[in-house]
Amino acid sequence: MSPRWEPNPDVRTGRHVVCRLHVHLVFVTKYRRGALTEAMLVRCEEIMRQVCADFEAELGEFDGEDDHVHLLVRYPPKVQLSKLVNSLKGVSSRLLRKEYGTHVNQYLWGGRLWSGSYFAGSVGGAPTSVLQQYIEDQKHPS
């Protein structure tokens, strides 16, 4: 980059691309059951950060309540969003059910933690700081 420009940490540069891709993701527990605890949210964030790193993406913000989680993810253009989402949900579901199976089984059955659907919103219009604040302000389960 030219020394005249200050590098922007939100802008990714590659050999043939300059991009700024962020997505707001929301995953809901199956049947919207309040199965998530504070400890599970902490572990879920760790798992999702690792999955994002495996995709060369970055989990900017993470928070949630007892029945859903919000993520703000910065990802490269080579990543298919649907594959990233499938990995985030699949890996987190498998590990959380393995580690907190007794608790989760009180609320859910059938081997699934997350609903089959999800919300993905492009973060082109709203400033990232507004979304970060929204995600940080989520109520934590007791």
Side-chain angles (χ1 to χ4, degrees), residues 73-116:
V73 179
R74 182 175 148 220
Y75 64 100
K78 68 181 179 180
V79 170
Q80 283 185 347
L81 194 55
S82 61
K83 289 188 178 187
L84 175 61
V85 166
N86 285 340
S87 288
L88 286 167
K89 289 172 68 176
V91 172
S92 63
S93 177
R94 185 175 63 253
L95 293 177
L96 289 173
R97 289 185 71 88
K98 181 179 175 183
E99 296 171 20
Y100 298 94
T102 305
H103 172 77
V104 172
N105 289 338
Q106 296 173 15
Y107 298 90
L108 300 167
W109 54 92
R112 295 223 159 98
L113 175 64
W114 304 113
S115 166

